Amino acid sequence: MSMPFLLKSAVFVCLWSTTFGYFYSQSNGNDDKLCFCQLQGTIDDCACNVDTVDHFNNMKIYPRLNSLLASDYFRFYKANLKQSCPFWADDSRCAMKFCSVQSCDERDVPEGIKGFSLESPSFKYTKDAHEGGTIVDCGSDLNAELSYLNTSISDKAHQGFQLWADHDEAQDNFCILDDHQEGAEYVDLSLNPERYTGYKGDSAHRIWRSIYLENCFGSSKHKHSLSFIPYIPYTELSAGSGICMEERVFYRLISGLHSSINIHLCANYLLSEKKGFMSDSGVWGPNVEEFIRRFSPSETANEGPHWLKNLYFVYVVELRALAKAAPYLRNETYFTGQAQQDEELRNAIQDFLSVINTFPSHFNETTMFSGGVGSLKLKHDFREKFRNISKIMDCVGCDKCRLWGKLQGLGTALKILFSGKFDNATSLASDDKSEKLKLKRTEIVSLFNAFGRLSTSINRLEHFRKLMR
């Protein structure tokens, strides 16, 4: 055995002993202060419990979902990462090399993802229309002249049509889609994994402060001195506290997403990096000490375990959205132009959706926004606040964090649950292609990847449990 190997092993043992010793000194004889001691029992505002979700996710969902997300259809995502921040001067760009996003050459993106092939009847129709269409010959020059229809449309009219379409779409969407905007590019998510990039400090704290202050409560009286963000103490979120369910749900969704992101950063922490000009190599792995700092009761005024529980809440909400949209998702073509891969993916999705439908206690969205005229205004505010949060993502100074922030949005799931367009399972199961599609490919990719992030977070929690033991 070589000396370098022995030296590396000794360093690893030393680092592990230090981390374990820190945790042991914090928790030995004080089991009630462990990060996971309160992460059990019923999930608030749901009918299921933590143990049920753990088993269902880790045994059934996580392996299947990981396989789905590795397919071409789900790993290519189109987004605009060049939008300027609409709320404040963007003066805190992350300068670390790990913040950058590796965009892909469009030649590497399957043709079916970019659009139909040249041989497709649909493409041929739009191509002919774009070039001016065909004038019907009615038998004489006079008839041809009389029957001629000028199909040209001015640029100004096109802009007006787009404004109408955007307005109609905004009535149902809980986020702002930017895949059609100038500057949007395809990104291969497998080449840009979500992990710790070094983006932190005032810029990152300002993002989270803005996100939390967009919630229904709008109060900054609750401010944790360590996390630099306003939050609602768990004791004030009970059903009898005067906070309506819709407001509780809003806060728990934001808190759960925040917890999920923090878990990913702790599970994929930059442990070391190679020094050198423009070197992008590094070693990532779990950082137990960082996890304890972010979630242990002693470091978070006893709130950390409740933040972890909010992760389970947002997981159950997105799980319900997938179950509700299952009849629609079963009829999607998931077309990339690669026949064999497309067929395998469709079969895998059928299996995945069947498993989701076996979950025993789905979230009941019908208990929300059901109180008459007042609930309509609350629903409008609910939607507008989430749309505003999607704008805040354009203020994130780290491109990779901005990318995954857009992907972790709840917009598609909330659209499925609350737009009303997915309430009729019979119409969703129809394979009538003349009906206008209710979900764009970008929305489907975002929905599955967002749920994939939550599924991975819950799986990583089990890994941290084992490390801490």
Side-chain angles (χ1 to χ4, degrees), residues 338-352:
Q338 304 165 105
Q340 183 176 348
Q341 291 184 29
D342 291 349
E343 182 63 24
E344 291 173 354
L345 178 61
R346 284 191 288 268
N347 292 334
I349 287 177
Q350 296 291 338
D351 171 66
F352 177 71

Side-chain angles (χ1 to χ4, degrees), residues 73-215:
Y73 185 88
F74 287 111
R75 70 185 178 94
F76 287 105
Y77 181 70
K78 192 173 186 180
N80 186 355
L81 303 178
K82 300 175 182 178
Q83 288 277 81
S84 58
C85 175
F87 300 113
W88 57 76
D90 189 9
D91 56 357
S92 301
R93 304 294 295 176
C94 176
M96 291 190 67
K97 54 182 173 290
F98 301 115
C99 286
S100 63
V101 168
Q102 182 179 342
S103 59
C104 56
D105 193 317
E106 283 214 17
R107 290 174 295 182
D108 297 329
V109 181
E111 290 297 326
I113 290 178
K114 294 184 291 186
F116 290 109
S117 64
L118 291 175
E119 291 76 24
S120 166
S122 176
F123 182 90
K124 186 175 186 300
Y125 173 80
T126 54
K127 181 172 181 288
D128 288 343
H130 178 70
E131 293 176 350
T134 303
I135 300 175
V136 179
D137 183 1
C138 296
S140 70
D141 292 340
L142 178 61
N143 284 339
E145 184 177 348
L146 291 174
S147 64
Y148 172 74
L149 178 65
N150 186 347
T151 58
S152 62
I153 301 176
S154 68
D155 290 340
K156 186 175 182 180
H158 273 298
Q159 293 172 4
F161 295 154
Q162 186 60 48
L163 287 175
W164 295 341
D166 291 344
H167 177 269
D168 291 341
E169 184 178 334
Q171 304 311 302
D172 297 322
N173 287 350
F174 285 74
C175 68
I176 298 174
L177 303 175
D178 59 13
D179 59 306
H180 62 283
Q181 296 176 352
E182 184 179 355
E185 295 180 310
Y186 283 101
V187 176
D188 185 341
L189 298 176
S190 67
L191 300 179
N192 298 277
E194 184 185 18
R195 59 192 180 189
Y196 180 80
T197 63
Y199 178 61
K200 58 183 178 180
D202 291 341
S203 177
H205 293 316
R206 180 168 53 178
I207 296 295
W208 282 113
R209 277 199 304 270
S210 300
I211 290 175
Y212 277 94
L213 289 174
E214 289 297 329
N215 61 32

Side-chain angles (χ1 to χ4, degrees), residues 212-222 231-232 236-237 241-252 385:
Y212 277 94
L213 289 174
E214 289 297 329
N215 61 32
C216 296
F217 312 104
S219 172
S220 59
K221 67 177 181 178
H222 304 300
Y231 67 86
I232 309 301
E236 296 186 19
L237 283 173
S241 64
I243 298 176
C244 68
M245 181 178 180
E246 289 81 0
E247 292 173 334
R248 296 197 305 271
V249 166
F250 191 102
Y251 173 76
R252 286 188 172 122
K385 289 177 185 297

Side-chain angles (χ1 to χ4, degrees), residues 362-413:
H362 278 292
F363 177 73
N364 183 8
E365 75 279 4
T366 62
T367 60
M368 296 177 60
F369 309 116
S370 57
V373 177
S375 66
L376 293 178
K377 182 181 184 306
L378 184 59
K379 184 177 180 179
H380 175 268
D381 293 343
F382 196 93
R383 180 176 60 246
E384 289 306 307
K385 289 177 185 297
F386 268 106
R387 287 174 61 82
N388 209 38
I389 288 173
S390 68
K391 294 178 183 178
I392 294 176
M393 288 300 101
D394 288 321
C395 300
V396 176
C398 164
D399 285 345
K400 190 167 291 182
C401 305
R402 179 184 295 202
L403 169 66
W404 285 103
K406 288 174 178 286
L407 264 171
Q408 301 219 35
L410 276 163
T412 306

Side-chain angles (χ1 to χ4, degrees), residues 39-75:
L39 192 58
Q40 56 187 342
T42 304
I43 300 171
D44 299 292
D45 288 319
C46 289
C48 57
N49 59 55
V50 170
D51 290 341
T52 302
V53 173
D54 273 332
H55 177 78
F56 186 77
N57 178 72
N58 295 336
M59 296 295 104
K60 298 181 178 181
I61 293 295
Y62 177 72
R64 287 177 168 86
L65 193 51
N66 254 10
S67 177
L68 288 178
L69 297 181
S71 68
D72 285 353
Y73 185 88
F74 287 111
R75 70 185 178 94

Side-chain angles (χ1 to χ4, degrees), residues 213-285:
L213 289 174
E214 289 297 329
N215 61 32
C216 296
F217 312 104
S219 172
S220 59
K221 67 177 181 178
H222 304 300
K223 188 172 181 180
H224 193 306
S225 60
L226 295 178
S227 60
F228 303 100
I229 57 171
Y231 67 86
I232 309 301
Y234 177 74
T235 55
E236 296 186 19
L237 283 173
S238 62
S241 64
I243 298 176
C244 68
M245 181 178 180
E246 289 81 0
E247 292 173 334
R248 296 197 305 271
V249 166
F250 191 102
Y251 173 76
R252 286 188 172 122
L253 291 176
I254 299 300
S255 175
L257 286 177
H258 194 181
S259 295
S260 179
I261 291 171
N262 281 336
I263 290 169
H264 282 285
L265 301 186
C266 295
N268 294 281
Y269 202 86
L270 181 60
L271 303 177
S272 66
E273 63 175 300
K274 290 184 178 180
K275 303 295 183 181
F277 180 70
M278 293 300 288
S279 172
D280 61 353
S281 58
V283 177
W284 279 266

